[in-house]
Structures are given as C-alpha cells and as structure tokens.
Amino acid sequence: MDVLPVVVVIPTRNEAENIAQTVRSVIGRFAHVVVVDSDSTDGTRDLAKAEGAEVVPYTWDGAYPKKKQWCLEHVHPETDWVLFLDGDETPSPQLLAEIRRVFDPPPGHRIRPAAFDIPLGYWFAGRRLRHGHTIVKRVLLDRTRCRFPEPDDLAAPGMGEQEGHYQPLADPVVRLTAPIEHRDLDPVRTWFERHNRYSDWEAWLEEHPAVREQIRQAKTRQGRLFHRAPLKPLVSFLYAYGLRRGFLDGRAGLDYALAMSFYRWQIGLKARELAAARTAAGADGGRGRH
C-alpha cells in the first residue's frame, strides 16, 4: 500500500507560521491532503498549495454543521476515513507506522473501530512537555459512523465556526499509542489569546447547565470527571504539576500548569460575572413591574 486510504483534513485560519511543516509531514503518504481555510490573510493558502495540498475555501453560515462536520460531509466524501490535523500539528513517524498497520492489516483482519483516539505530544513555550500534559484527540474517523454533536451553543461567544471542546460521537473507539506532535511556532501570546476566547465559551456554558450537560456527555471519561470537579483552578494545577509530574518538565512544566490553572480561573471569574449580571437584570426587571 503506497498511500493510505485516508483524507487528511487541515482546518486553518492564518496558520502561515505552521502550515508548510504540517502539509510536508503528510503529503504523499495519504490519498488526499486538504487544507480547509477560513479567509486567511497571511498567505496560508499559497503556502499550503506550494507544498502540494488541495485548498478548499470555507465560510461559516452561523448554523450547524460547523467546520469539522462540514468537512466530513463535503471533503472527498468518496473516501470513508478522515484524519483531522490542526495547522500546527504533525503525525510522529511512530504514528504514521501505526496508522499504516491499521490500514494494512494481516490477512483475515479488517478495520472494525468507528474511530481512533490519538494522544497529543504538546509543546509549550518552545519545549516538548513529557509529563504534565495529557490530551487524547479523536481525530481518525470513519465518516460513515461518526458525527460531531450539535449542542445548543450557537449563541455562545468564543468558538464561532469551530466545534467546542468535545469529541465526535463514535462507537466503538480504539486508542492508538503514538502521538500527534502539536508544535505551535506562533509566540506564546497567541495561546493566551485563544484561551481567552475559549474561556468565554466555557463561562457561557456555566450559565446554561442544560447545554453544559449535552457537552459533558460528548467528552472523554477523563473530561467528564473533570467537568464535575470543584475548585478547578487548583485541581488543574495539582493534576498537571503534581500528579502528572509536570515539575520534571522544568520551567516549561511550571509555566504550563500555571497557564492552565489561570485558564480555569478565567472561566470561573467570567461565569460569576455573568451570573451577577443576570441577577442584577432580574432585580431591575422586578422593580420595573411594581
């Protein structure tokens, strides 16, 4: 098998710093490599084309499906299997070999899972975290047996065209062992900018518990447990820096654990602000009825 029967889909928006490296890591190894771009203004499309990727423009209409589900429905639908990569991600050589074993099994075997979960090798502030970070992404999908949830969060700020922090629905799911490397070459301030937006979405969910529960059901077991945890900033720090031994990653491990704790603090603070505004609005409305 020369190329794997998989469509690599890379959703982008202004990924000029990273996209060439990402496309280079998969071009020629998979049946199709497609960059689905949302109006980039930094040359992302030209850089992707120069590396041999197909480029498909995408404009969100404000409704479901959002971007990744749209890709499942429209990008080379004749090929069942899709591998999603972010514009700053590359599959490790070990993962490429593992995926090849999945799609070139011994005689008498066939691919049974509807999806594969893949661990993320995470870089923060220029250093690969070996201990304090554990994320698994469900990104290798049989599109005929997978679908992203559609929670009632279209009015929420922070995410826009992106699906939120939840997994596509699939059964059964198998976890692979080798990682995708998430190495963002942008300055660390962009991490904080993104997570500031994400915390807007998370805080909105705190004020909409029914939607929050919809999303909790679409998370991994670890994600569902953390969803219910009290004192999330403290739990996040102790988990990353202590239980996961982030201290072995040196200064980068401390910086990352603090950054994630700050992110959880942001969510709580914004949620309390929203709750206070709702209470004040209710009080004003009550006075107006007298």
Side-chain angles (χ1 to χ4, degrees), residues 19-207:
I19 191 62
Q21 172 181 276
T22 298
V23 172
R24 224 175 277 143
S25 71
V26 290
I27 202 76
R29 294 181 169 93
F30 295 86
H32 307 280
V33 176
V34 185
V35 169
V36 181
D37 185 71
S38 300
D39 302 316
S40 288
T41 57
D42 64 350
T44 294
R45 295 185 183 186
D46 290 340
L47 290 166
K49 288 177 182 177
E51 296 295 337
E54 300 176 47
V55 175
V56 173
Y58 173 80
T59 301
W60 185 45
D61 63 3
Y64 283 108
K66 290 192 173 187
K67 193 172 185 178
K68 287 186 177 179
Q69 181 61 40
W70 184 91
C71 291
L72 288 181
E73 295 173 6
H74 294 94
V75 178
H76 285 287
E78 74 282 0
T79 303
D80 288 345
W81 282 89
V82 173
L83 173 64
F84 280 107
L85 292 177
D86 288 350
D88 53 6
E89 293 178 344
T90 60
S92 65
Q94 295 82 2
L95 179 60
L96 291 171
E98 194 171 6
I99 293 175
R100 184 164 293 278
R101 289 193 294 273
V102 168
F103 286 92
D104 193 14
H109 292 260
R110 65 186 181 88
I111 302 169
R112 295 182 183 275
F116 292 90
D117 288 350
I118 301 176
L120 199 65
Y122 202 80
W123 296 70
F124 186 78
R127 177 165 175 175
R128 171 68 144 77
L129 301 180
R130 301 288 177 182
H131 301 279
H133 180 84
T134 55
I135 282 186
V136 175
K137 299 179 73 174
R138 187 165 301 160
V139 289
L140 182 55
L141 312 173
D142 177 352
R143 74 174 89 209
T144 68
R145 295 184 285 161
C146 297
R147 183 170 185 86
F148 283 87
E150 295 185 358
D152 299 326
D153 69 340
L154 290 176
M159 286 298 178
E161 68 182 22
Q162 302 178 82
E163 280 82 0
H165 295 156
Y166 45 76
Q167 304 278 19
L169 304 175
D171 185 52
V173 177
V174 168
R175 179 169 172 170
L176 300 182
T177 59
I180 291 171
E181 295 292 337
H182 180 98
R183 186 174 187 178
D184 188 352
L185 300 178
D186 288 327
V188 72
R189 65 173 172 75
T190 64
W191 188 96
F192 286 101
E193 289 167 358
R194 286 196 305 274
H195 283 75
N196 187 41
R197 289 190 291 103
Y198 298 160
S199 65
D200 288 343
W201 179 75
E202 298 270 12
W204 184 91
L205 292 180
E206 295 297 317
E207 281 293 286

Side-chain angles (χ1 to χ4, degrees), residues 241-263:
Y241 198 66
L243 186 63
R244 296 300 305 176
R245 299 185 299 166
F247 57 87
L248 295 177
D249 286 320
R251 183 57 186 263
L254 176 61
D255 288 341
Y256 177 75
L258 288 171
M260 286 304 299
S261 181
F262 175 71
Y263 171 58

